[in-house]
Amino acid sequence: MLLRPALAVADRVAAALPARVAYALADVAGDAWRRLAPARRALVKANLARVCAATGRPTEGPAFRRLVRDAFRNHARYYLELLRAPHYRRDEIETIVQVPGWETMAESIVGRPAILVSWHLGNFEPFGTFLAHHGLRPLAPIEEIEPRALYEFLAARRGSGVIDLVPVRQARGPLSRRLREGGLIAIIGDRDLPGTGMPVTVFGHATTMPAGPAVLALAHGASVIAGRSLRLGPDRYRVEGVAIPVPDTGDRRADTATLVAALAAQLERDIADAPEQWWGAFQAYWPDLDGGAG
């Protein structure tokens, strides 16, 4: 099978290239992807147009075209970083990953059950190395994809010795167990993959968000931090997190809905700050948009 050796070569090349060269090549790949995938380009434009309309940005013209171009470039950079991040040196990670509010965040997640919730925005993967540098190892669910060789390759790089991973379809038990033990879990919480989430409004349009983080937080008395890791430049990131209040009215369903709505509101704020880094735009985020993309 040629995929495994090809991925191994890509891994070595991406790690060996100087950062600016590697990122320049990623931008070229992103530009080519945008030109050669008209259906995907149309979907990205449709998603970003809703963000722009809700935030007072142009929804057409040169500025909007640059936004779409930058979205493709940033998504290509994400794939490059999946290869480069496992090679980041631990003694340099606080230069690579800036976490200006780390002391406050640490108070909410160290020594107690805690949930880090993030989005398909920027790149949260390097934060795993930062956490490992500070003695923390979260458990995170991962979607299984085909072909199997690609899934195993990506899982190895996402975990890279700093995060424990569990397949999404088997995740509920291990996630609950980690929280019962007073540990840390990390969930990408913006996409409702099975379509069973709770209704929310995001940028003025109806969609759903997964209830899993809220359900787990309420069941285990866990703190919830909604965070983002935005790309500042080649191999440079800034992580910011916001503590989301966990309601406790005794009405579990109402409390779940309140917490999911609070997460949706934070998702809006984070995307609005950097829509070009929202790679959730590469899927049909709102159900009324056509999900078919090539």
Side-chain angles (χ1 to χ4, degrees):
M1 186 178 188
L2 296 178
L3 181 58
R4 291 181 188 275
L7 291 171
V9 170
D11 187 32
R12 289 195 295 270
V13 171
L17 286 175
R20 295 199 176 277
V21 174
Y23 277 79
L25 291 174
D27 288 352
V28 170
D31 288 344
W33 184 16
R34 174 172 51 87
R35 290 192 297 268
L36 296 173
R40 185 74 63 182
R41 184 173 66 246
L43 179 59
V44 171
K45 290 172 65 176
N47 280 313
L48 290 179
R50 291 188 170 181
V51 176
C52 290
T55 57
R57 293 178 170 91
T59 58
E60 57 184 14
F64 183 67
R65 289 195 293 272
R66 284 194 298 273
L67 179 66
V68 173
R69 179 203 66 189
D70 290 347
F72 275 87
R73 288 181 175 182
N74 272 286
H75 201 6
R77 288 180 172 199
Y78 169 78
Y79 288 113
L80 168 71
E81 290 160 355
L82 279 180
L83 302 178
R84 292 179 68 84
H87 301 282
Y88 291 158
R89 288 175 49 179
R90 294 279 185 94
D91 60 354
E92 296 178 350
I93 197 62
E94 295 204 36
T95 299
I96 295 170
V97 181
Q98 302 173 16
V99 191
W102 170 242
E103 292 79 10
T104 300
M105 189 185 302
E107 290 176 0
S108 298
I109 65 176
V110 175
R112 58 169 299 173
I115 305 174
L116 294 174
V117 183
S118 191
W119 332 112
H120 290 86
L121 176 74
N123 189 349
F124 222 85
E125 312 279 352
F127 187 50
T129 302
F130 180 95
L131 291 173
H133 181 66
H134 287 270
L136 296 171
R137 189 182 178 101
L139 174 65
I142 182 173
E143 182 183 0
E144 293 182 276
I145 61 173
E146 295 294 339
R148 186 71 185 179
L150 180 59
Y151 164 73
E152 291 173 351
F153 176 83
L154 294 176
R157 271 121 199 98
R158 282 177 170 148
S160 61
V162 299
I163 297 176
D164 296 321
L165 298 173
V166 60
V168 169
R169 59 187 174 84
Q170 303 170 2
R172 183 63 182 271
L175 293 174
S176 292
R177 185 161 53 251
R178 180 66 62 94
L179 292 174
R180 284 197 302 272
E181 295 167 351
L184 178 65
I185 67 173
I187 299 176
I188 302 299
D190 54 342
R191 283 184 58 204
D192 179 21
L193 293 173
T196 58
M198 302 200 74
V200 293
T201 299
V202 177
F203 294 112
H205 294 269
T207 186
T208 58
M209 280 182 64
V215 170
L216 287 166
L218 290 163
H220 299 285
S223 61
V224 176
I225 300 291
R228 78 216 190 152
S229 178
L230 296 182
R231 188 175 295 106
L232 301 179
D235 293 336
R236 291 294 184 272
Y237 314 87
R238 180 184 176 92
V239 174
E240 295 172 314
V242 175
I244 304 297
V246 179
D248 184 17
T249 68
D251 184 335
R252 186 61 61 86
R253 181 167 182 80
D255 286 347
T256 300
T258 297
L259 185 48
V260 172
L263 288 168
Q266 187 59 44
L267 169 67
E268 279 190 328
R269 289 189 285 269
D270 287 340
I271 293 173
D273 284 345
E276 74 283 356
Q277 295 196 36
W278 181 42
W279 45 287
F282 284 73
Q283 305 295 327
Y285 189 71
W286 291 274
D288 61 307
L289 293 181
D290 181 11

